[in-house]
Amino acid sequence: DIVMTQSPDSLAVSLGERATINCKSSRSVLSRSNNKNYLAWYQHKPGQPPKLLIYWASTRESGVPDRFSGSGSGTDFTLTISTLKAEDVAVYYCHQFYDIPSTFGQGTKLEIK
Amino acid sequence: EVQLVESGGGLVQPGGSLRLSCVASGFSLRNYWMNWVRQAPGKGLEWVTNIKEDGSEEYYVDSVKGRFTISRDNAENSLFLQLNSLRSEDTAVYYCAASGAGIVYWGQGTLVTVST
């Protein structure tokens, strides 16, 4: 199984500042056939289902604010929130859908400092 | 409006069974791989199983193989999960989810509690 490891486990950032979450996969999730990274990011707030933010590692889902961005390739990925807003408080997960079983990172809890 | 609505969760004793259902509206379920993803209390997300658009392929996480069965009825725009031989560690919110590039649609979830 591909193991997804996020860092840090929790993060406190001031409003208006940048938040950065890292995700490392135990094997590459880059497909040689289409040159796409099978990596997604989700935002999960209490009492709600997770919400897709980013897919193919760097493509923003429709309707997601442009302060959210994804980067990386192969085994190392980053989710960046450029200017933190209060509504961004949530748990964030990376997710590989390159191989079965599909696997998630353990989650990063983002709070306001 | 796209919606996935799960039902069938509840309290069951260890060794018991449940059948979860998920009905889609606002989109055609037949165009998507469908998944069940769960979240145990205080834990992260865990992918459980998925099934191909036409039902010809299905996959499971090792911990549920031989106990859980996923199925779908595209004519009824519905997804199902049969849970047998339930264990305490199966206690979780179970989400019905449609995937394309990542999981694009999620239901609100249904709680399964396995306890005496």
Side-chain angles (χ1 to χ4, degrees):
Chain A
D1 299 1
I2 298 178
V3 177
M4 307 299 289
T5 304
Q6 292 180 225
S7 61
D9 289 334
S10 63
L11 180 63
V13 175
S14 300
L15 291 172
E17 296 299 306
R18 177 184 299 258
T20 301
I21 299 170
N22 300 299
C23 175
K24 188 173 184 67
S25 59
S26 60
R27 285 191 280 122
S28 175
V29 298
L30 174 62
S31 170
R32 296 176 186 174
S33 63
N34 60 9
N35 202 37
K36 290 183 183 294
N37 287 283
Y38 283 61
L39 188 286
W41 288 96
Y42 304 88
Q43 177 190 66
H44 195 192
K45 297 180 178 180
Q48 298 181 20
K51 174 186 176 183
L52 177 64
L53 298 174
I54 303 285
Y55 57 95
W56 300 140
S58 61
T59 302
R60 198 178 303 114
E61 173 71 340
S62 175
V64 173
D66 60 7
R67 65 180 182 275
F68 291 91
S69 63
S71 62
S73 184
T75 61
D76 292 277
F77 302 91
T78 300
L79 174 70
T80 301
I81 308 172
S82 59
T83 309
L84 190 71
K85 294 191 171 185
E87 62 258 37
D88 299 335
V89 169
V91 178
Y92 292 84
Y93 294 93
C94 61
H95 168 224
Q96 69 80 16
F97 49 101
Y98 179 79
D99 196 13
I100 295 292
S102 181
T103 46
F104 292 86
Q106 79 276 19
T108 295
K109 186 174 184 179
L110 177 59
E111 298 173 313
I112 304 297
K113 186 187 291 183
Chain B
E1 181 192 7
V2 167
Q3 272 197 314
L4 289 166
V5 179
E6 302 96 335
S7 61
L11 175 64
V12 61
Q13 292 188 340
S17 298
L18 278 177
R19 179 175 168 85
L20 307 184
S21 299
C22 170
V23 178
S25 59
F27 74 105
S28 182
L29 189 143
R30 69 176 68 246
N31 296 324
Y32 292 84
W33 279 78
M34 292 301 295
N35 306 258
W36 289 96
V37 175
R38 67 184 178 183
Q39 184 176 33
K43 303 294 185 183
L45 300 172
E46 180 185 34
W47 174 85
V48 176
T49 177
N50 65 2
I51 186 168
K52 196 175 180 181
E53 292 96 331
D54 61 1
S56 61
E57 297 177 32
E58 53 194 75
Y59 301 94
Y60 300 88
V61 69
D62 282 351
S63 59
V64 309
K65 281 180 184 175
R67 300 188 300 122
F68 290 9
T69 304
I70 190 172
S71 61
R72 64 193 297 160
D73 183 340
N74 288 339
E76 296 295 325
N77 231 21
S78 297
L79 178 73
F80 307 98
L81 184 65
Q82 179 68 39
L83 297 77
N84 297 330
S85 303
L86 282 160
R87 307 167 180 166
S88 58
E89 55 264 37
D90 296 318
T91 293
V93 173
Y94 284 74
Y95 294 101
C96 166
S99 56
I103 297 179
V104 295
Y105 303 134
W106 298 75
Q108 289 293 325
T110 186
L111 176 62
V112 172
T113 303
V114 184
S115 176
T116 56

